[in-house]
Amino acid sequence: MKKVLIAVICCVLLVCLVSCNGIGFMSDPQVKRVVAEFGTPQAEMTLEFKSSNKNMKYIITYDLLLDKTPITTINFINLVDSGFYTNTIMDSYTTSYNYYIAGRYVYNKEATDEKIKDNESGKTFIGEFKSNNYGEPNGGYAQFSMFSLAMYHDSKGDAFNDGNGTLIFSTSDSVTLNSNNYAVFAKMNKIQIYQDDNLLSTYTDGKINGMYLDQMTKLTGRPTMKVVNSANETRNEQILGSGTTPYFVFSIKMLGDKDWSKLPKVG
């Protein structure tokens, strides 16, 4: 009788877990505890590129949506805190869909050879979005917006998986990707536009001047460049850039004085 009772309790707990937010996701009480301790974490991206021979620097402050995509956000924070997004590259831009793919490669401008290397986290998580049966969070699923970040996913079996560190960096409020298939986990809070070290403009309304957006999105050339993998093997890839130099190099750091090691472990 005792064994039967235990089996029934286990089944009930499993049904509750699946019906609440799907297998592999954090429960609502877990999410509430994490948000209560860490609030809305912020990260800062420094994106550098040349436009008409001018040295441009866009410093973007992000609000990380811990309440809507907790596992994806925690994974991102762990990657940032480990230095994963140091001197990484925006390597591809899809004009018709209005987004960059970013973070797949690391660029070492000081190296004499083998300057571009694969950036691999070796991690895979279940993505928190509608097509993965993730329960709709309060306020709805996060949608793409100007310079928002989503975690890129690969299809594996019946699940979409993210966590490998590859990012979708949107350049519009109307990205034509199906947002039901992507975990949008970061929204732009503020952007500062610099030329060299001179601050030109600051925007806090989720928009930027079209001129500054054009400076980025007009750089669409994709020459073939040599990429090195973890086994020190080389191959050729088309990467946004000029000659053998990528156009866009960025780094991301966390803001604030929180102890990120106290975040729940994922993966």
Side-chain angles (χ1 to χ4, degrees):
M1 181 68 180
K2 187 175 180 181
K3 290 183 178 180
V4 173
L5 180 61
I6 292 173
V8 170
I9 292 173
C10 289
C11 289
V12 170
L13 289 175
L14 180 60
V15 169
C16 288
L17 178 61
V18 173
S19 63
C20 288
N21 247 343
I23 296 174
F25 299 119
M26 292 175 65
S27 67
D28 287 341
Q30 286 176 314
V31 174
K32 288 177 180 177
R33 284 196 295 270
V34 173
V35 172
E37 182 173 356
F38 291 93
T40 302
Q42 289 191 319
E44 181 181 272
M45 174 189 287
T46 299
L47 171 65
E48 298 181 89
F49 62 98
K50 283 185 177 290
S51 176
S52 301
N53 294 319
K54 298 175 182 177
N55 297 315
M56 304 303 300
K57 181 166 61 178
Y58 291 6
I59 298 180
I60 308 170
T61 302
Y62 281 103
D63 292 332
L64 306 183
L65 308 180
L66 192 56
D67 59 330
K68 291 184 179 294
T69 54
I71 293 176
T72 302
T73 301
I74 291 169
N75 173 50
F76 174 77
I77 291 172
N78 289 336
L79 290 174
V80 172
D81 208 36
S82 71
F84 183 85
Y85 296 107
T86 300
N87 295 326
T88 38
I89 297 170
M90 290 187 179
D91 62 88
S92 177
Y93 182 65
T94 305
T95 306
S96 57
Y97 291 162
N98 301 313
Y99 70 88
Y100 289 90
I101 296 178
R104 293 190 291 190
Y105 306 111
V106 175
Y107 178 63
N108 182 1
K109 66 180 179 181
E110 305 300 330
T112 55
D113 196 13
E114 300 181 351
K115 293 187 174 186
I116 302 174
K117 294 192 174 184
D118 283 329
N119 201 25
E120 302 169 317
S121 72
K123 297 181 180 180
T124 302
F125 300 106
I126 302 299
E128 295 151 309
F129 41 85
K130 187 173 183 179
S131 295
N132 238 359
N133 297 318
Y134 182 66
E136 185 168 356
N138 290 335
Y141 300 97
Q143 302 295 311
F144 287 106
S145 58
M146 179 64 70
F147 290 173
S148 63
L149 298 178
M151 194 66 78
Y152 190 70
H153 69 78
D154 298 312
S155 178
K156 297 190 176 181
D158 294 327
F160 290 100
N161 299 273
D162 65 14
N164 62 3
T166 303
L167 302 174
I168 294 291
F169 179 95
S170 62
T171 58
S172 170
D173 293 335
S174 56
V175 172
T176 51
L177 290 168
N178 182 352
S179 58
N180 292 337
N181 292 342
Y182 295 85
V184 178
F185 67 90
K187 295 285 188 176
M188 181 173 69
N189 175 289
K190 178 177 71 173
I191 182 169
Q192 295 173 295
I193 312 289
Y194 288 82
Q195 182 180 320
D196 296 317
D197 292 323
N198 301 313
L199 178 62
L200 302 180
S201 295
T202 299
Y203 298 93
T204 58
D205 58 357
K207 307 289 183 182
I208 70 169
N209 185 290
M211 173 184 67
Y212 296 130
L213 184 60
D214 287 346
Q215 285 181 330
M216 294 180 59
T217 55
K218 72 179 181 181
L219 299 174
T220 58
R222 294 184 68 202
T224 298
M225 300 185 192
K226 186 171 69 173
V227 175
V228 183
N229 66 16
S230 57
N232 212 34
E233 300 166 333
T234 61
R235 69 182 189 279
N236 292 324
E237 295 283 358
Q238 285 188 306
I239 293 176
L240 287 166
S242 176
T244 59
T245 304
Y247 283 137
F248 304 103
V249 180
F250 68 95
S251 296
I252 305 177
K253 66 179 182 181
M254 294 302 299
L255 299 179
D257 57 359
K258 294 287 188 180
D259 183 356
W260 306 114
S261 67
K262 293 182 177 180
L263 285 166
K265 303 302 180 186
V266 297

